[in-house]
Short mmCIF file of all heavy atoms in Angstrom, two decimals:
data_model
loop_
_atom_site.label_atom_id
_atom_site.label_comp_id
_atom_site.label_asym_id
_atom_site.label_seq_id
_atom_site.Cartn_x
_atom_site.Cartn_y
_atom_site.Cartn_z
N GLY A 790 -85.79 -5.48 26.47
CA GLY A 790 -85.72 -6.51 25.42
C GLY A 790 -85.12 -7.79 25.96
O GLY A 790 -84.35 -8.47 25.28
N ALA A 791 -85.50 -8.13 27.20
CA ALA A 791 -84.83 -9.23 27.91
C ALA A 791 -85.57 -10.56 27.83
O ALA A 791 -85.16 -11.54 28.45
CB ALA A 791 -84.63 -8.84 29.38
N ALA A 792 -86.66 -10.61 27.06
CA ALA A 792 -87.43 -11.86 26.99
C ALA A 792 -86.70 -12.95 26.22
O ALA A 792 -86.93 -14.14 26.42
CB ALA A 792 -88.79 -11.60 26.35
N GLN A 793 -85.83 -12.55 25.30
CA GLN A 793 -85.13 -13.55 24.47
C GLN A 793 -83.80 -12.98 23.98
O GLN A 793 -83.46 -11.83 24.24
CB GLN A 793 -86.00 -13.93 23.27
CG GLN A 793 -86.26 -12.76 22.33
CD GLN A 793 -87.05 -13.18 21.10
OE1 GLN A 793 -88.12 -13.75 21.23
NE2 GLN A 793 -86.53 -12.89 19.92
N GLY A 794 -83.06 -13.83 23.28
CA GLY A 794 -81.84 -13.37 22.60
C GLY A 794 -80.78 -12.81 23.53
O GLY A 794 -80.57 -13.31 24.63
N ILE A 795 -80.11 -11.77 23.04
CA ILE A 795 -78.99 -11.18 23.79
C ILE A 795 -79.45 -10.63 25.13
O ILE A 795 -78.76 -10.76 26.14
CB ILE A 795 -78.33 -10.07 22.92
CG1 ILE A 795 -77.62 -10.71 21.71
CG2 ILE A 795 -77.35 -9.25 23.74
CD1 ILE A 795 -77.12 -9.71 20.68
N GLY A 796 -80.63 -10.01 25.15
CA GLY A 796 -81.14 -9.44 26.41
C GLY A 796 -81.37 -10.51 27.46
O GLY A 796 -81.02 -10.32 28.64
N ALA A 813 -87.47 -6.16 31.20
CA ALA A 813 -88.55 -5.37 30.60
C ALA A 813 -88.68 -5.74 29.13
O ALA A 813 -87.69 -5.73 28.41
CB ALA A 813 -88.25 -3.88 30.75
N ASP A 814 -89.91 -6.03 28.71
CA ASP A 814 -90.08 -6.42 27.31
C ASP A 814 -91.53 -6.19 26.89
O ASP A 814 -92.44 -6.27 27.71
CB ASP A 814 -89.71 -7.90 27.12
CG ASP A 814 -89.26 -8.22 25.69
OD1 ASP A 814 -90.10 -8.16 24.76
OD2 ASP A 814 -88.06 -8.50 25.49
N ILE A 815 -91.72 -5.97 25.62
CA ILE A 815 -93.08 -5.85 25.07
C ILE A 815 -93.74 -7.22 25.11
O ILE A 815 -94.96 -7.35 25.12
CB ILE A 815 -93.01 -5.27 23.64
CG1 ILE A 815 -94.32 -4.65 23.23
CG2 ILE A 815 -92.51 -6.30 22.63
CD1 ILE A 815 -94.22 -3.78 21.98
N ASP A 816 -92.93 -8.26 25.12
CA ASP A 816 -93.39 -9.65 25.29
C ASP A 816 -93.41 -9.96 26.79
O ASP A 816 -92.45 -10.47 27.36
CB ASP A 816 -92.45 -10.59 24.54
CG ASP A 816 -92.73 -12.06 24.81
OD1 ASP A 816 -93.75 -12.37 25.46
OD2 ASP A 816 -91.90 -12.89 24.37
N CYS A 840 -93.19 -3.74 29.02
CA CYS A 840 -92.76 -2.38 28.70
C CYS A 840 -92.57 -2.25 27.20
O CYS A 840 -91.76 -2.96 26.61
CB CYS A 840 -91.45 -2.05 29.43
SG CYS A 840 -90.80 -0.43 29.00
N ASP A 841 -93.34 -1.34 26.60
CA ASP A 841 -93.08 -0.97 25.20
C ASP A 841 -92.17 0.25 25.26
O ASP A 841 -92.61 1.35 25.61
CB ASP A 841 -94.39 -0.64 24.49
CG ASP A 841 -94.16 -0.14 23.06
OD1 ASP A 841 -92.98 -0.01 22.66
OD2 ASP A 841 -95.15 0.12 22.37
N VAL A 842 -90.90 0.05 24.93
CA VAL A 842 -89.93 1.14 25.13
C VAL A 842 -90.20 2.35 24.23
O VAL A 842 -89.62 3.41 24.44
CB VAL A 842 -88.47 0.67 24.92
CG1 VAL A 842 -88.09 -0.40 25.93
CG2 VAL A 842 -88.21 0.21 23.49
N ALA A 843 -91.10 2.19 23.25
CA ALA A 843 -91.44 3.33 22.39
C ALA A 843 -92.38 4.31 23.09
O ALA A 843 -92.66 5.39 22.56
CB ALA A 843 -92.06 2.83 21.10
N ASN A 868 -81.38 -2.52 25.48
CA ASN A 868 -81.07 -3.60 24.54
C ASN A 868 -82.16 -3.83 23.50
O ASN A 868 -81.87 -4.36 22.43
CB ASN A 868 -80.81 -4.88 25.36
CG ASN A 868 -80.79 -6.12 24.50
OD1 ASN A 868 -79.79 -6.42 23.85
ND2 ASN A 868 -81.91 -6.85 24.46
N ALA A 869 -83.40 -3.44 23.80
CA ALA A 869 -84.50 -3.72 22.86
C ALA A 869 -84.17 -3.16 21.48
O ALA A 869 -83.65 -2.05 21.36
CB ALA A 869 -85.80 -3.10 23.38
N GLY A 870 -84.45 -3.95 20.46
CA GLY A 870 -84.14 -3.47 19.11
C GLY A 870 -85.05 -4.11 18.08
O GLY A 870 -85.50 -5.25 18.24
N ILE A 871 -85.36 -3.36 17.03
CA ILE A 871 -86.17 -3.88 15.92
C ILE A 871 -85.52 -3.50 14.59
O ILE A 871 -84.67 -2.60 14.55
CB ILE A 871 -87.63 -3.35 15.95
CG1 ILE A 871 -87.67 -1.81 15.89
CG2 ILE A 871 -88.36 -3.87 17.18
CD1 ILE A 871 -89.08 -1.26 15.66
N VAL A 891 -87.62 2.97 18.88
CA VAL A 891 -87.23 1.84 19.73
C VAL A 891 -85.71 1.81 19.93
O VAL A 891 -85.23 1.67 21.05
CB VAL A 891 -87.72 0.49 19.13
CG1 VAL A 891 -87.16 -0.69 19.91
CG2 VAL A 891 -89.25 0.45 19.12
N TYR A 896 -83.54 4.70 24.13
CA TYR A 896 -82.25 4.57 24.85
C TYR A 896 -81.93 5.90 25.55
O TYR A 896 -81.43 5.91 26.67
CB TYR A 896 -81.13 4.18 23.88
CG TYR A 896 -81.12 2.73 23.43
CD1 TYR A 896 -82.28 2.05 23.06
CD2 TYR A 896 -79.92 2.02 23.35
CE1 TYR A 896 -82.25 0.73 22.63
CE2 TYR A 896 -79.88 0.69 22.92
CZ TYR A 896 -81.04 0.06 22.56
OH TYR A 896 -81.01 -1.26 22.14
N MET A 919 -76.97 -1.37 23.76
CA MET A 919 -76.69 -2.47 22.82
C MET A 919 -76.74 -1.89 21.41
O MET A 919 -77.80 -1.65 20.85
CB MET A 919 -77.70 -3.60 22.99
CG MET A 919 -77.21 -4.91 22.40
SD MET A 919 -75.59 -5.45 23.07
CE MET A 919 -76.05 -5.94 24.74
N SER A 920 -75.56 -1.65 20.88
CA SER A 920 -75.45 -1.08 19.54
C SER A 920 -75.27 -2.21 18.55
O SER A 920 -75.92 -3.27 18.65
CB SER A 920 -74.29 -0.08 19.53
OG SER A 920 -74.18 0.53 18.27
N SER A 921 -74.36 -2.07 17.61
CA SER A 921 -74.13 -3.09 16.57
C SER A 921 -72.87 -2.71 15.81
O SER A 921 -72.46 -1.54 15.82
CB SER A 921 -75.33 -3.12 15.62
OG SER A 921 -75.01 -3.84 14.44
N LEU A 922 -72.32 -3.67 15.11
CA LEU A 922 -71.25 -3.34 14.17
C LEU A 922 -71.78 -2.34 13.14
O LEU A 922 -71.04 -1.56 12.56
CB LEU A 922 -70.76 -4.63 13.49
CG LEU A 922 -69.55 -4.51 12.60
CD1 LEU A 922 -68.37 -3.89 13.33
CD2 LEU A 922 -69.16 -5.87 12.06
N TYR A 934 -82.15 0.99 10.61
CA TYR A 934 -81.40 0.27 11.65
C TYR A 934 -79.99 0.84 11.78
O TYR A 934 -79.55 1.16 12.88
CB TYR A 934 -81.36 -1.22 11.29
CG TYR A 934 -80.66 -2.09 12.33
CD1 TYR A 934 -81.32 -2.48 13.48
CD2 TYR A 934 -79.36 -2.52 12.14
CE1 TYR A 934 -80.69 -3.28 14.42
CE2 TYR A 934 -78.71 -3.33 13.08
CZ TYR A 934 -79.39 -3.71 14.22
OH TYR A 934 -78.77 -4.50 15.16
N LYS A 938 -78.24 2.81 15.01
CA LYS A 938 -77.04 2.31 15.71
C LYS A 938 -75.90 3.32 15.61
O LYS A 938 -75.12 3.48 16.55
CB LYS A 938 -76.62 0.95 15.14
CG LYS A 938 -77.67 -0.16 15.34
CD LYS A 938 -77.98 -0.42 16.80
CE LYS A 938 -78.91 -1.61 17.00
NZ LYS A 938 -79.22 -1.87 18.41
N PRO A 964 -72.15 -5.72 18.73
CA PRO A 964 -71.93 -7.11 18.30
C PRO A 964 -71.87 -7.25 16.78
O PRO A 964 -72.51 -6.49 16.04
CB PRO A 964 -73.16 -7.86 18.84
CG PRO A 964 -73.80 -6.94 19.83
CD PRO A 964 -73.46 -5.56 19.38
N GLY A 965 -71.12 -8.27 16.34
CA GLY A 965 -71.19 -8.71 14.95
C GLY A 965 -72.38 -9.66 14.84
O GLY A 965 -73.43 -9.42 15.44
N SER A 966 -72.22 -10.77 14.09
CA SER A 966 -73.35 -11.71 13.92
C SER A 966 -73.44 -12.65 15.12
O SER A 966 -72.51 -13.39 15.39
CB SER A 966 -73.14 -12.54 12.65
OG SER A 966 -73.05 -11.67 11.54
N ILE A 967 -74.58 -12.62 15.78
CA ILE A 967 -74.76 -13.39 17.01
C ILE A 967 -75.92 -14.37 16.81
O ILE A 967 -76.97 -14.02 16.26
CB ILE A 967 -75.07 -12.45 18.21
CG1 ILE A 967 -73.97 -11.38 18.34
CG2 ILE A 967 -75.23 -13.23 19.50
CD1 ILE A 967 -72.57 -11.89 18.53
N THR A 969 -78.84 -15.61 17.47
CA THR A 969 -80.17 -15.51 18.07
C THR A 969 -81.15 -16.17 17.09
O THR A 969 -80.75 -16.67 16.04
CB THR A 969 -80.53 -14.03 18.35
OG1 THR A 969 -80.32 -13.29 17.17
CG2 THR A 969 -79.68 -13.45 19.46
N ILE A 971 -83.27 -15.28 14.83
CA ILE A 971 -83.28 -14.88 13.41
C ILE A 971 -82.09 -15.48 12.69
O ILE A 971 -82.21 -16.04 11.60
CB ILE A 971 -83.25 -13.34 13.28
CG1 ILE A 971 -84.54 -12.75 13.81
CG2 ILE A 971 -83.01 -12.93 11.83
CD1 ILE A 971 -84.55 -11.24 13.85
P1 LIG B 134 -84.28 -10.37 19.44
O1 LIG B 134 -85.23 -9.98 18.37
O2 LIG B 134 -83.98 -11.82 19.65
O3 LIG B 134 -84.74 -9.74 20.84
C1 LIG B 134 -85.18 -8.42 20.91
C2 LIG B 134 -86.08 -8.29 22.12
O4 LIG B 134 -86.55 -6.93 22.15
C3 LIG B 134 -87.31 -9.19 22.05
O5 LIG B 134 -87.52 -9.85 23.27
C4 LIG B 134 -88.45 -8.22 21.74
O6 LIG B 134 -89.71 -8.63 22.25
C5 LIG B 134 -87.94 -6.96 22.41
N1 LIG B 134 -88.58 -5.74 21.89
C6 LIG B 134 -88.82 -5.43 20.58
N2 LIG B 134 -89.48 -4.27 20.52
C7 LIG B 134 -89.67 -3.84 21.80
C8 LIG B 134 -90.31 -2.71 22.38
N3 LIG B 134 -90.92 -1.77 21.63
N4 LIG B 134 -90.30 -2.60 23.73
C9 LIG B 134 -89.72 -3.54 24.50
N5 LIG B 134 -89.13 -4.64 24.01
C10 LIG B 134 -89.10 -4.79 22.67
O7 LIG B 134 -82.94 -9.54 19.13
P2 LIG B 134 -81.42 -9.79 19.56
O8 LIG B 134 -80.72 -10.36 18.39
O9 LIG B 134 -81.32 -10.43 20.90
O10 LIG B 134 -80.96 -8.26 19.65
C11 LIG B 134 -80.87 -7.55 20.87
C12 LIG B 134 -80.11 -6.26 20.60
O11 LIG B 134 -78.81 -6.61 20.06
C13 LIG B 134 -80.78 -5.36 19.57
O12 LIG B 134 -80.62 -4.01 19.95
C14 LIG B 134 -79.99 -5.66 18.29
O13 LIG B 134 -79.98 -4.58 17.40
C15 LIG B 134 -78.60 -5.91 18.86
N6 LIG B 134 -77.74 -6.70 17.95
C16 LIG B 134 -78.01 -8.00 17.64
C17 LIG B 134 -77.17 -8.70 16.78
C18 LIG B 134 -77.40 -10.14 16.42
O14 LIG B 134 -76.66 -10.67 15.56
N7 LIG B 134 -78.36 -10.83 17.01
C19 LIG B 134 -76.07 -8.06 16.21
C20 LIG B 134 -75.82 -6.73 16.54
C21 LIG B 134 -76.67 -6.05 17.42
#
Side-chain angles (χ1 to χ4, degrees):
Q793 63 177 54
I795 291 171
D814 206 292
I815 202 166
D816 172 8
C840 176
D841 175 358
V842 298
N868 167 80
I871 58 170
V891 172
Y896 284 44
M919 199 56 71
S920 182
S921 166
L922 187 55
Y934 183 80
K938 297 300 185 180
S966 301
I967 305 302
T969 52
I971 293 174

